[in-house]
Amino acid sequence: MKVVFDERKPVYLQIVDDIKSKVAVGRIVCNNKLPSVREMAVEYGVNPNTMQRAYRQLEYEGVCTAIRGTGTFVLDDKSLVTRLRQEMSEAYIDNFLQDMEKIGLNGNEVEQAVSSALRRSLRIRPAR
């Protein structure tokens, strides 16, 4: 599965974001061992050095830990998924608000647009 990377952001950070996203939604479970650097490099279609850098960043960010001779494991921390979901939601919202500002919407207009979108959504029904 080769991934198409965005040229505006370092590849290793995009891999970090992808792995964190998979942990946040449960596709990678806490305390699970991650595939080896070489296996993941093949999966992402990148150089093993890039993958190693991504693993180091994940360790730095408190997502996983490397155990010498054993491998890299997602931390066994119940709050990890909650923290990652919160970080991701804040980033998505920040990006959304920046985009709304680019098209000239003020706070009230953004609020109205979001309320309208929520009403149209099939997943979220308004209270009756």
Side-chain angles (χ1 to χ4, degrees):
M1 160 197 97
K2 282 211 175 180
V3 179
V4 177
F5 295 106
D6 183 343
E7 294 179 10
R8 296 171 290 179
K9 185 175 181 180
V11 169
Y12 82 98
L13 290 177
Q14 292 177 66
I15 293 170
V16 167
D17 289 345
D18 186 57
I19 292 171
K20 286 173 23 179
S21 176
K22 288 175 181 175
V23 172
V25 299
R27 288 186 55 211
I28 298 175
V29 181
C30 289
N31 207 32
N32 272 15
K33 181 179 178 184
L34 294 175
S36 73
V37 167
R38 292 195 184 282
E39 290 170 328
M40 287 289 264
V42 169
E43 183 175 328
Y44 281 98
V46 298
N47 184 295
N49 293 331
T50 301
M51 199 65 231
Q52 181 62 43
R53 191 168 183 191
Y55 272 22
R56 274 192 308 245
Q57 184 66 30
L58 287 165
E59 192 170 6
Y60 174 78
E61 292 185 23
V63 175
C64 60
T65 185
I67 301 173
R68 189 178 184 118
T70 305
T72 302
F73 294 82
V74 177
L75 291 181
D76 188 16
D77 178 0
K78 296 179 193 308
S79 67
L80 176 62
V81 170
T82 302
R83 177 175 59 90
L84 292 176
R85 290 175 59 128
Q86 181 67 33
E87 288 174 5
M88 291 173 64
S89 69
E90 288 173 5
Y92 288 139
I93 290 168
D94 288 346
N95 288 335
F96 168 75
L97 292 174
Q98 288 172 8
D99 289 344
M100 295 300 99
E101 186 176 1
K102 285 178 188 174
I103 63 170
L105 296 184
N106 65 34
N108 288 333
E109 291 169 322
V110 171
E111 189 175 351
Q112 289 172 357
V114 169
S115 293
S116 177
L118 286 172
R119 284 192 298 278
R120 287 191 315 268
S121 172
L122 298 175
R123 293 174 286 172
I124 302 173
R125 306 272 181 191
R128 295 184 189 246

mmCIF file with all atom_site columns, all heavy atoms in Angstrom, residues 5-10 14:
data_model
loop_
_atom_site.group_PDB
_atom_site.id
_atom_site.type_symbol
_atom_site.label_atom_id
_atom_site.label_alt_id
_atom_site.label_comp_id
_atom_site.label_asym_id
_atom_site.label_entity_id
_atom_site.label_seq_id
_atom_site.pdbx_PDB_ins_code
_atom_site.Cartn_x
_atom_site.Cartn_y
_atom_site.Cartn_z
_atom_site.occupancy
_atom_site.B_iso_or_equiv
_atom_site.pdbx_formal_charge
_atom_site.auth_seq_id
_atom_site.auth_comp_id
_atom_site.auth_asym_id
_atom_site.auth_atom_id
_atom_site.pdbx_PDB_model_num
ATOM 1  N N   . PHE A 1 5  ? 1.937  11.155 -0.571 1.00 0.00 ? 5  PHE A N   1
ATOM 2  C CA  . PHE A 1 5  ? 2.275  12.135 0.444  1.00 0.00 ? 5  PHE A CA  1
ATOM 3  C C   . PHE A 1 5  ? 2.096  13.551 -0.084 1.00 0.00 ? 5  PHE A C   1
ATOM 4  O O   . PHE A 1 5  ? 2.256  13.821 -1.256 1.00 0.00 ? 5  PHE A O   1
ATOM 5  C CB  . PHE A 1 5  ? 3.717  11.929 0.918  1.00 0.00 ? 5  PHE A CB  1
ATOM 6  C CG  . PHE A 1 5  ? 3.922  10.621 1.630  1.00 0.00 ? 5  PHE A CG  1
ATOM 7  C CD1 . PHE A 1 5  ? 4.592  9.572  1.027  1.00 0.00 ? 5  PHE A CD1 1
ATOM 8  C CD2 . PHE A 1 5  ? 3.447  10.445 2.922  1.00 0.00 ? 5  PHE A CD2 1
ATOM 9  C CE1 . PHE A 1 5  ? 4.781  8.371  1.681  1.00 0.00 ? 5  PHE A CE1 1
ATOM 10 C CE2 . PHE A 1 5  ? 3.624  9.248  3.586  1.00 0.00 ? 5  PHE A CE2 1
ATOM 11 C CZ  . PHE A 1 5  ? 4.294  8.201  2.971  1.00 0.00 ? 5  PHE A CZ  1
ATOM 12 N N   . ASP A 1 6  ? 1.787  14.444 0.846  1.00 0.00 ? 6  ASP A N   1
ATOM 13 C CA  . ASP A 1 6  ? 1.647  15.866 0.561  1.00 0.00 ? 6  ASP A CA  1
ATOM 14 C C   . ASP A 1 6  ? 3.044  16.483 0.572  1.00 0.00 ? 6  ASP A C   1
ATOM 15 O O   . ASP A 1 6  ? 3.779  16.341 1.546  1.00 0.00 ? 6  ASP A O   1
ATOM 16 C CB  . ASP A 1 6  ? 0.772  16.508 1.643  1.00 0.00 ? 6  ASP A CB  1
ATOM 17 C CG  . ASP A 1 6  ? 0.488  17.974 1.412  1.00 0.00 ? 6  ASP A CG  1
ATOM 18 O OD1 . ASP A 1 6  ? 1.192  18.624 0.611  1.00 0.00 ? 6  ASP A OD1 1
ATOM 19 O OD2 . ASP A 1 6  ? -0.450 18.485 2.048  1.00 0.00 ? 6  ASP A OD2 1
ATOM 20 N N   . GLU A 1 7  ? 3.399  17.178 -0.493 1.00 0.00 ? 7  GLU A N   1
ATOM 21 C CA  . GLU A 1 7  ? 4.741  17.751 -0.611 1.00 0.00 ? 7  GLU A CA  1
ATOM 22 C C   . GLU A 1 7  ? 4.980  18.909 0.350  1.00 0.00 ? 7  GLU A C   1
ATOM 23 O O   . GLU A 1 7  ? 6.116  19.318 0.557  1.00 0.00 ? 7  GLU A O   1
ATOM 24 C CB  . GLU A 1 7  ? 4.982  18.226 -2.048 1.00 0.00 ? 7  GLU A CB  1
ATOM 25 C CG  . GLU A 1 7  ? 5.022  17.094 -3.045 1.00 0.00 ? 7  GLU A CG  1
ATOM 26 C CD  . GLU A 1 7  ? 5.230  17.586 -4.470 1.00 0.00 ? 7  GLU A CD  1
ATOM 27 O OE1 . GLU A 1 7  ? 5.538  18.780 -4.661 1.00 0.00 ? 7  GLU A OE1 1
ATOM 28 O OE2 . GLU A 1 7  ? 5.079  16.767 -5.389 1.00 0.00 ? 7  GLU A OE2 1
ATOM 29 N N   . ARG A 1 8  ? 3.920  19.433 0.940  1.00 0.00 ? 8  ARG A N   1
ATOM 30 C CA  . ARG A 1 8  ? 4.059  20.599 1.817  1.00 0.00 ? 8  ARG A CA  1
ATOM 31 C C   . ARG A 1 8  ? 4.446  20.240 3.254  1.00 0.00 ? 8  ARG A C   1
ATOM 32 O O   . ARG A 1 8  ? 4.698  21.126 4.057  1.00 0.00 ? 8  ARG A O   1
ATOM 33 C CB  . ARG A 1 8  ? 2.759  21.400 1.842  1.00 0.00 ? 8  ARG A CB  1
ATOM 34 C CG  . ARG A 1 8  ? 2.401  21.995 0.478  1.00 0.00 ? 8  ARG A CG  1
ATOM 35 C CD  . ARG A 1 8  ? 1.035  22.587 0.487  1.00 0.00 ? 8  ARG A CD  1
ATOM 36 N NE  . ARG A 1 8  ? 0.079  21.471 0.586  1.00 0.00 ? 8  ARG A NE  1
ATOM 37 C CZ  . ARG A 1 8  ? -1.225 21.604 0.636  1.00 0.00 ? 8  ARG A CZ  1
ATOM 38 N NH1 . ARG A 1 8  ? -1.768 22.793 0.651  1.00 0.00 ? 8  ARG A NH1 1
ATOM 39 N NH2 . ARG A 1 8  ? -2.013 20.552 0.705  1.00 0.00 ? 8  ARG A NH2 1
ATOM 40 N N   . LYS A 1 9  ? 4.481  18.962 3.581  1.00 0.00 ? 9  LYS A N   1
ATOM 41 C CA  . LYS A 1 9  ? 4.774  18.523 4.951  1.00 0.00 ? 9  LYS A CA  1
ATOM 42 C C   . LYS A 1 9  ? 5.764  17.368 4.894  1.00 0.00 ? 9  LYS A C   1
ATOM 43 O O   . LYS A 1 9  ? 5.644  16.496 4.028  1.00 0.00 ? 9  LYS A O   1
ATOM 44 C CB  . LYS A 1 9  ? 3.472  18.087 5.621  1.00 0.00 ? 9  LYS A CB  1
ATOM 45 C CG  . LYS A 1 9  ? 3.594  17.721 7.073  1.00 0.00 ? 9  LYS A CG  1
ATOM 46 C CD  . LYS A 1 9  ? 2.220  17.432 7.657  1.00 0.00 ? 9  LYS A CD  1
ATOM 47 C CE  . LYS A 1 9  ? 2.319  17.090 9.119  1.00 0.00 ? 9  LYS A CE  1
ATOM 48 N NZ  . LYS A 1 9  ? 0.995  16.799 9.699  1.00 0.00 ? 9  LYS A NZ  1
ATOM 49 N N   . PRO A 1 10 ? 6.741  17.331 5.819  1.00 0.00 ? 10 PRO A N   1
ATOM 50 C CA  . PRO A 1 10 ? 7.704  16.226 5.802  1.00 0.00 ? 10 PRO A CA  1
ATOM 51 C C   . PRO A 1 10 ? 7.013  14.860 5.846  1.00 0.00 ? 10 PRO A C   1
ATOM 52 O O   . PRO A 1 10 ? 6.024  14.672 6.571  1.00 0.00 ? 10 PRO A O   1
ATOM 53 C CB  . PRO A 1 10 ? 8.539  16.459 7.060  1.00 0.00 ? 10 PRO A CB  1
ATOM 54 C CG  . PRO A 1 10 ? 8.424  17.916 7.339  1.00 0.00 ? 10 PRO A CG  1
ATOM 55 C CD  . PRO A 1 10 ? 7.028  18.289 6.893  1.00 0.00 ? 10 PRO A CD  1
ATOM 56 N N   . GLN A 1 14 ? 3.927  12.988 8.251  1.00 0.00 ? 14 GLN A N   1
ATOM 57 C CA  . GLN A 1 14 ? 2.670  12.459 7.710  1.00 0.00 ? 14 GLN A CA  1
ATOM 58 C C   . GLN A 1 14 ? 2.471  11.019 8.157  1.00 0.00 ? 14 GLN A C   1
ATOM 59 O O   . GLN A 1 14 ? 1.344  10.601 8.461  1.00 0.00 ? 14 GLN A O   1
ATOM 60 C CB  . GLN A 1 14 ? 2.667  12.564 6.193  1.00 0.00 ? 14 GLN A CB  1
ATOM 61 C CG  . GLN A 1 14 ? 2.621  14.003 5.706  1.00 0.00 ? 14 GLN A CG  1
ATOM 62 C CD  . GLN A 1 14 ? 2.685  14.100 4.205  1.00 0.00 ? 14 GLN A CD  1
ATOM 63 O OE1 . GLN A 1 14 ? 1.757  13.668 3.520  1.00 0.00 ? 14 GLN A OE1 1
ATOM 64 N NE2 . GLN A 1 14 ? 3.767  14.660 3.687  1.00 0.00 ? 14 GLN A NE2 1
#
